[in-house]
Amino acid sequence: MAENHPAKFRVENIAPILNVSDMVRSLDFYVGILGFKNADWGTDEFSLVSRENSGLYLCKGGQGMPGTWVWIGFDGDIFSLYRELVQKGVTIVLAPTNFSWACEMQVKDPDGHVLRFGTDPDEQQPFADR
């Protein structure tokens, strides 16, 4: 068996590229509804939306695949976020559910990408996966 010699480099950042069909509509969702910040250099074809130290690239038509799933771990009240997103008409795929790995909810963006929002699981409540 060959020895494993991993490549030597430091990972600075990992950010998925989401394929979008309408940049204005996508920015309305990510900036207007979710509170991300649009990059100053963004164009109608390619941009970066970010929050704290994480971001998602948005590419109109050329890169990425429709229906990508993205994990967004956060610290906050998932139930409050859920109620806020429901009030704003966001498509909810999975209401907040307590799993052994996270309390998670899933929402769809305007292009059908699924955003999996998750917080620490509630150890005092039953887990849906057990």
Side-chain angles (χ1 to χ4, degrees):
M1 178 179 232
E3 285 189 46
N4 183 11
H5 297 286
K8 295 183 191 272
F9 63 92
R10 185 181 77 77
V11 174
E12 179 183 285
N13 188 340
I14 297 175
I17 301 172
L18 300 180
N19 184 291
V20 302
S21 59
D22 181 328
M23 188 64 74
V24 171
R25 182 180 67 177
S26 292
L27 290 174
D28 284 346
F29 178 78
Y30 284 97
V31 176
I33 293 176
L34 295 182
F36 283 69
K37 181 183 182 302
N38 188 24
D40 295 337
W41 53 261
T43 69
D44 291 339
E45 302 298 317
F46 195 82
S47 194
L48 171 71
V49 292
S50 61
R51 209 169 152 151
E52 285 77 40
N53 295 319
S54 297
L56 300 165
Y57 288 102
L58 306 177
C59 181
K60 185 176 175 188
Q63 299 176 32
M65 298 291 295
T68 299
W69 288 53
V70 178
W71 172 261
I72 302 175
F74 73 102
D75 61 350
D77 183 351
I78 196 166
F79 298 100
S80 292
L81 178 59
Y82 169 75
R83 288 188 296 274
E84 180 180 338
L85 296 180
V86 167
Q87 288 176 346
K88 292 180 178 181
V90 173
T91 301
I92 306 296
V93 177
L94 176 71
T97 303
N98 196 43
F99 294 105
S100 59
W101 63 86
C103 187
E104 177 180 331
M105 76 171 164
Q106 300 169 2
V107 305
K108 277 193 181 177
D109 82 353
D111 289 286
H113 302 295
V114 177
L115 308 177
R116 296 176 62 182
F117 286 92
T119 62
D120 290 334
D122 184 345
E123 301 291 337
Q124 305 304 313
Q125 298 298 319
F127 295 127
D129 57 319
R130 292 193 182 153

